Amino acid sequence: MTSLKLIGLAVGVSLALSSAAFAEDITIAVAGPMTGTESAFGRQMKNGADLAVADINAAGGVLGKKLALDIEDDACDPKQARSVAEKIGGSRIPFVAGHYCSSSSIPASEAYAENNVLEITPASTNPTFTERGLWNVARVCGRDDQQGAVAANYIAQNFKGKNIAILNDKTTYGKGLADETKKALNKAGVTEKLYESYTKGDKDFNAIVSRLKAENIDLVYVGGYHQEAGLILRQMRDQGLKTILMAGDAMADKEYASITGAAAEGTLFTFGPDPRKKPTAAAIVDKFKAKNIDPEGYTLYTYAAVQVWTQAAAKAGTTDPKKVMDTIKAGSWDTVIGKLEYNSKGDIKQLDYVVYKWDDKGGYAEVSQKGS
């Protein structure tokens, strides 16, 4: 009987110590579209954050503590994103890698600012995110005014004298990117023949495709996400159009090719230099491949966002969000996507966009700025 009591006491002490150790973990979050039409990118973010946390913990954690990861789903819905942000803030989580959609990151960032949470987005490219003077926002990706200029330059060089159309899906990201591309195109002396909008989630684009056909459009630039872009392409081909489709970084997932099949061949899009090919990423890419994961799109960007926060917290000697953000903006950070430095707004100084082209085998590769 005494032995049983001693065993029970030992188990109780063990559980208490285990609970205490768990309570001392530093919880951070990743928030993005884990469900919904953009869930492919939510998976990228989760994969990046999962491995980053595992690697950081294996190296000893942060400030002598292990990291725990809270995964939150915003479904790229602004209201849900705000709710997620309030939940994270209420849990006193000091840092979130998120969100994906700009229409989620922008309202969420306001709730994070109110609740003392530092937010680094791996993927939200709308300039507004860092243009409002909020203390708590940063990103490891570029901006739409940068990638819009690159897209416009490519179009001006390679489609001179051709008929250009611009479409947007009315979202913060899609319309913002389309407008930036239009502005840069017009500045380069190119006037689009057609500027139209559609609603994200639409399935039937035959009316728009008929207009593209009537206007003899050679290239259509789509400010929007890969699901709708894929359907637009398919319906163009169904009507016999050979029009080239070009878009932004929301094309950077192989799910686009699963929508279009071999018709994806020739689709153009802008994205940062492929981080999978950087020497700084080689060891991490190998780890992902060992898990049968292709770290495409924003996978490595999310890994980098966690790295930036981790290194800054270690240097600041605290997880206090305001002190960590001050440290981030004052330093330079070695990440899987290269060395990053920040301006006072929270934008990185180093990223350049490039143009990619899809092939007929479900892959894409960088193309030269002039020619294909």
Side-chain angles (χ1 to χ4, degrees):
M1 190 70 174
T2 303
S3 297
L4 288 175
K5 287 182 178 178
L6 288 173
I7 291 170
L9 180 61
V11 170
V13 170
S14 176
L15 288 173
L17 289 173
S18 177
S19 297
F22 181 78
E24 290 178 0
D25 285 351
I26 300 170
T27 300
I28 63 173
V30 59
M34 305 303 161
T35 61
T37 56
E38 310 312 321
S39 61
F41 292 94
R43 287 193 296 273
Q44 290 179 6
M45 294 171 68
K46 180 182 180 299
N47 288 338
D50 277 340
L51 187 57
V53 167
D55 286 348
I56 289 162
N57 283 342
V62 182
L63 302 174
K65 299 179 180 180
K66 298 290 187 179
L67 292 180
L69 184 63
D70 176 46
I71 300 165
E72 297 290 344
D73 176 26
D74 68 10
C76 269
D77 176 77
K79 291 182 180 178
Q80 191 166 324
R82 175 85 191 199
S83 178
V84 163
E86 289 171 351
K87 176 185 174 184
I88 289 172
S91 300
R92 296 192 174 185
I93 292 173
F95 163 68
V96 58
H99 296 223
Y100 170 69
C101 292
S102 294
S103 57
S104 290
S105 283
I106 292 170
S109 65
E110 295 165 0
Y112 291 134
E114 293 166 5
N115 290 284
N116 201 33
V117 180
L118 191 159
E119 176 187 11
I120 302 178
T121 176
S124 293
T125 51
N126 188 281
T128 301
F129 179 71
T130 49
E131 288 291 339
R132 294 161 299 154
L134 293 182
W135 67 267
N136 66 317
V137 297
R139 52 181 142 210
V140 292
C141 57
R143 295 165 43 126
D144 289 333
D145 45 1
Q146 295 170 318
Q147 70 169 324
V150 170
N153 186 50
Y154 185 90
I155 294 168
Q157 287 191 39
N158 294 281
F159 293 86
K160 187 176 181 179
K162 302 293 185 179
N163 294 328
I164 309 300
I166 300 174
L167 306 178
N168 79 81
D169 67 356
K170 304 178 188 174
T171 67
T172 303
Y173 164 73
K175 188 175 189 306
L177 179 55
D179 287 348
E180 292 292 350
T181 303
K182 170 181 163 59
K183 183 167 64 175
L185 263 178
N186 295 165
K187 187 176 180 180
V190 178
T191 301
E192 70 283 357
K193 199 165 185 181
L194 186 67
Y195 186 94
E196 284 287 339
S197 62
Y198 58 90
T199 301
K200 187 177 186 302
D202 283 352
K203 306 291 185 186
D204 184 354
F205 296 97
N206 282 300
I208 286 178
V209 171
S210 294
R211 289 203 63 189
L212 297 176
K213 189 173 186 178
E215 297 288 352
N216 296 312
I217 298 300
D218 297 293
L219 180 142
V220 56
Y221 185 87
V222 178
Y225 293 91
H226 70 298
Q227 295 276 0
E228 291 79 18
L231 293 175
I232 290 169
L233 181 69
R234 280 174 50 183
Q235 290 169 37
M236 285 198 304
R237 298 298 179 258
D238 288 345
Q239 288 199 32
L241 274 71
K242 295 182 179 179
T243 305
I244 300 295
L245 187 145
M246 187 174 192
D249 54 303
M251 298 296 109
D253 189 279
K254 289 187 173 63
E255 191 172 273
Y256 175 71
S258 73
I259 298 168
T260 62
E265 182 180 13
T267 295
L268 301 165
F269 70 96
T270 46
F271 192 62
D274 193 340
R276 295 172 296 182
K277 296 182 179 179
K278 294 191 175 185
T280 50
I284 307 304
V285 169
D286 286 344
K287 287 185 179 182
F288 276 114
K289 288 182 176 178
K291 296 174 177 286
N292 293 316
I293 295 172
D294 178 4
E296 66 176 335
Y298 285 106
T299 308
L300 295 174
Y301 284 80
T302 308
Y303 190 107
V306 177
Q307 284 182 303
V308 170
W309 178 83
T310 300
Q311 293 174 32
K315 187 171 183 178
T318 179
T319 60
D320 178 86
K322 291 182 179 177
K323 292 179 180 178
V324 173
M325 182 58 87
D326 287 343
T327 304
I328 287 173
K329 291 178 178 177
S332 62
W333 314 103
D334 293 317
T335 78
V336 68
I337 62 173
K339 187 178 288 293
L340 300 180
E341 294 180 345
Y342 285 85
N343 63 23
S344 60
K345 295 177 181 179
D347 290 314
I348 58 172
K349 300 176 181 179
Q350 294 83 1
L351 184 70
D352 295 318
Y353 280 93
V354 295
V355 178
Y356 292 84
K357 180 185 284 189
W358 280 90
D359 59 35
D360 61 351
K361 298 179 179 62
Y364 53 83
E366 185 178 338
V367 299
S368 62
Q369 185 67 12
K370 177 69 175 176
S372 59

